[in-house]
């Protein structure tokens, strides 16, 4: 059982990842110039090129910090220089470490929104995470009708208007975290499976039309990373211990 009222603590110096643990790191994407420059030096050519494609400097900086922090965090578990890490991608675009650097064992997933990133890490099982900012100007019912299942739409419409936006983004993160964990992207239609979304209802995969056995294979957990933000962790299996860490530049990277 995972308590959604997460406490985001500083990691210990002798950080270890046990086989039954999930570590979720919270990263604030607004960082100092010195941090930004240091992290940029660890990025691959492709990662730097991707960051440079953003029109606004804020978006370029956040791309650098999210990828740089990911490298810094993974390097701590692997005892490798962050700049030496190499990533591969499956046919649907899900990233992983190459096998020679522990990709067969160490699994991770990343999501970012509204100046914040969450990075989930575990061993020997698939994992997905999604983070969204609750936007009250978003056409929730219109989008839900296109992407949510009939059951989810019925639940959403039954809620008072002031609860619908949070319920929509809660549902969205649960569906996104699941398909990210599976690693097949939007080749899995979002309206072909049901998740919980009502206020106070534990995160769960309720039904998968093509493969009902998926319900017992996966666990969903609610995370609370900050005010007006919702997040979901999807994990293959069920028995686990969640530890939430607050990333600090000085804790994982040399200034």
């Amino acid at each position: 059982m995972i308590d959604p009222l997460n406490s985001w603590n500083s990691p210990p110096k002798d950080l270890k990842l046990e086989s039954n643990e999930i570590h979720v790191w919270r990263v604030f994407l607004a960082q100092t110039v010195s941090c930004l420059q240091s992290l940029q030096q660890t990025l691959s050519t492709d990662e730097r090129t991707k960051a440079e494609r953003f029109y606004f400097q804020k978006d370029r900086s956040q791309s650098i910090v999210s990828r740089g922090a990911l490298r810094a965090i993974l390097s701590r578990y692997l005892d490798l220089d962050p700049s030496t890490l190499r990533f591969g991608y499956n046919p649907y675009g899900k990233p992983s470490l190459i096998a020679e650097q522990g990709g067969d064992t160490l699994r991770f997933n990343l999501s970012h929104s509204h100046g914040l990133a969450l990075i989930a890490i575990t061993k020997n099982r698939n994992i997905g995470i999604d983070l969204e900012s609750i936007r009250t100007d978003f056409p929730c019912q219109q989008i839900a009708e296109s992407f949510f299942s009939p059951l989810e739409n019925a639940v959403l419409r039954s809620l008072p208007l002031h609860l619908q936006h949070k319920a929509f983004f809660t549902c969205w993160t649960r569906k996104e975290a699941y398909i990210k964990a599976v690693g097949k992207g939007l080749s899995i239609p979002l309206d072909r499976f049901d998740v919980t979304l009502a206020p106070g209802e534990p995160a769960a995969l309720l039904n998968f039309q093509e493969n009902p056995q998926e319900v017992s294979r996966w666990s969903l957990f609610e995370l609370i990373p900050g005010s007006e933000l919702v997040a979901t962790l999807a994990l293959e299996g069920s028995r686990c211990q969640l530890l939430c860490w607050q990333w600090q530049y000085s804790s994982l990277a040399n200034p």
Side-chain angles (χ1 to χ4, degrees):
M1 180 68 178
I2 289 181
D3 183 355
L5 297 176
N6 319 113
S7 178
W8 303 89
N9 302 309
S10 297
K13 291 184 178 180
D14 59 341
L15 180 69
K16 295 180 180 179
L17 178 65
E18 302 296 341
S19 59
N20 68 327
E21 291 180 345
I22 307 144
H23 291 187
V24 178
W25 293 80
R26 184 174 65 174
V27 179
F28 292 113
L29 299 180
Q31 296 290 334
T32 64
V33 173
S34 61
C35 171
L36 192 66
Q37 292 173 342
S38 180
L39 292 178
Q40 186 174 29
Q41 293 176 4
T42 70
L43 302 186
S44 67
T45 300
D46 289 346
E47 288 168 329
R48 295 184 191 185
T49 300
K50 181 179 179 180
E52 288 301 318
R53 291 196 186 109
F54 288 102
Y55 181 80
F56 294 106
Q57 178 60 45
K58 177 182 177 182
D59 296 328
R60 291 196 293 270
S61 297
Q62 291 190 356
S63 177
I64 291 168
V65 173
S66 63
R67 292 298 297 191
L70 173 65
R71 284 177 170 272
I73 290 167
L74 291 174
S75 71
R76 182 161 182 178
Y77 295 102
L78 298 167
D79 195 24
L80 295 172
D81 187 291
S83 64
T84 66
L85 298 184
R86 295 171 57 197
F87 300 95
Y89 298 85
N90 77 3
Y92 301 93
K94 184 175 183 178
S96 62
L97 288 162
I98 62 171
E100 293 83 353
Q101 293 182 334
D104 291 338
T105 301
L106 197 66
R107 312 289 177 83
F108 69 89
N109 203 235
L110 179 150
S111 182
H112 56 83
S113 177
H114 209 65
L116 194 71
L118 295 179
I119 298 170
I121 300 176
T122 192
K123 286 183 176 179
N124 296 315
R125 47 183 166 177
N126 291 317
I127 193 169
I129 196 165
D130 193 61
L131 165 69
E132 298 290 343
S133 172
I134 301 171
R135 293 168 47 193
T136 57
D137 61 343
F138 196 77
C140 293
Q141 287 201 15
Q142 180 181 346
I143 301 300
E145 288 173 1
S146 298
F147 293 101
F148 288 4
S149 71
L151 174 63
E152 292 161 347
N153 272 292
V155 173
L156 185 65
R157 288 193 299 268
S158 73
L159 296 175
L161 287 176
H162 71 281
L163 296 178
Q164 287 186 6
H165 284 89
K166 183 176 182 180
F168 171 87
F169 286 105
T170 295
C171 184
W172 189 269
T173 63
R174 291 174 184 178
K175 296 174 89 67
E176 281 286 321
Y178 167 69
I179 65 172
K180 289 174 72 177
V182 173
K184 293 184 178 180
L186 290 176
S187 68
I188 302 175
L190 293 178
D191 62 355
R192 304 299 288 176
F193 62 95
D194 305 317
V195 298
T196 55
L197 67 148
E201 197 172 13
L205 178 64
L206 296 175
N207 181 48
F208 193 100
Q209 294 184 26
E210 280 74 20
N211 188 1
Q213 294 180 346
E214 285 288 279
V215 174
S216 60
R217 180 185 170 197
W218 297 93
S219 300
L220 303 184
F221 302 101
E222 178 185 7
L223 301 172
I224 302 178
S227 177
E228 300 305 311
L229 294 166
V230 290
T232 299
L233 175 75
L235 177 72
E236 190 175 21
S238 58
R239 295 183 179 180
C240 58
Q241 179 183 4
L242 175 68
L243 296 172
C244 295
W245 306 121
Q246 177 61 53
W247 185 78
Q248 299 288 341
Y249 167 58
S250 59
S251 68
L252 292 178
N254 294 323

